[in-house]
């Protein structure tokens, strides 16, 4: 892809409402939005762990990757919450 085409795509992305709305959030607010989204996703399963297990057992590589990303995010988020509690 040419540089001009890439620059045009970036400009369109930056101009979009989605990018602008998320771009203004602090890291903490963005984390809260992610956690809310994950909780909404997990509402279809009996537990959060069941959702991640289901994704891990999926034959789709993207689902397996998503399960790993979710676990890594939640582990980091929980660590941050524990650190905040001890301060």
């Amino acid at each position: 892809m040419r540089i001009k085409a890439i620059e045009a795509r970036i400009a369109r992305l930056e101009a979009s409402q989605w990018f602008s709305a998320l771009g203004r959030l602090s890291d903490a607010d963005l984390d809260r939005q992610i956690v809310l989204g994950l909780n909404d996703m997990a509402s279809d399963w009996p537990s959060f762990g069941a959702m991640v297990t289901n994704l891990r057992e999926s034959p789709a590589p993207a689902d397996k990757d998503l399960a790993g990303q979710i676990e890594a995010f939640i582990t980091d988020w929980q660590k941050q919450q524990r650190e905040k509690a001890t301060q």
Side-chain angles (χ1 to χ4, degrees), residues 4-5 13 65:
K4 293 289 182 187
L13 176 63
D65 185 48

Side-chain angles (χ1 to χ4, degrees), residues 13-29:
L13 176 63
E14 289 175 341
S16 76
Q17 272 186 308
W18 180 83
F19 181 85
S20 299
L22 293 178
R24 291 187 200 121
L25 293 177
S26 69
D27 286 347
D29 288 335

Side-chain angles (χ1 to χ4, degrees), residues 65-84:
D65 185 48
L66 179 59
Q69 290 177 28
I70 291 171
E71 285 179 320
F73 174 82
I74 292 299
T75 299
D76 185 53
W77 184 79
Q78 288 173 333
K79 179 183 171 192
Q80 289 175 12
Q81 297 308 306
R82 284 191 299 272
E83 288 171 359
K84 285 180 188 177

Side-chain angles (χ1 to χ4, degrees), residues 29-80:
D29 288 335
L30 188 55
D31 283 354
R32 276 191 284 282
Q33 290 296 318
I34 293 169
V35 169
L36 288 172
L38 289 173
N39 284 333
D40 186 45
M41 285 173 53
S43 68
D44 294 335
W45 283 273
S47 70
F48 189 81
M51 178 187 75
V52 172
T53 299
N54 188 289
L55 288 168
R56 275 223 185 277
E57 293 172 352
S58 169
D63 287 348
K64 294 175 191 284
D65 185 48
L66 179 59
Q69 290 177 28
I70 291 171
E71 285 179 320
F73 174 82
I74 292 299
T75 299
D76 185 53
W77 184 79
Q78 288 173 333
K79 179 183 171 192
Q80 289 175 12

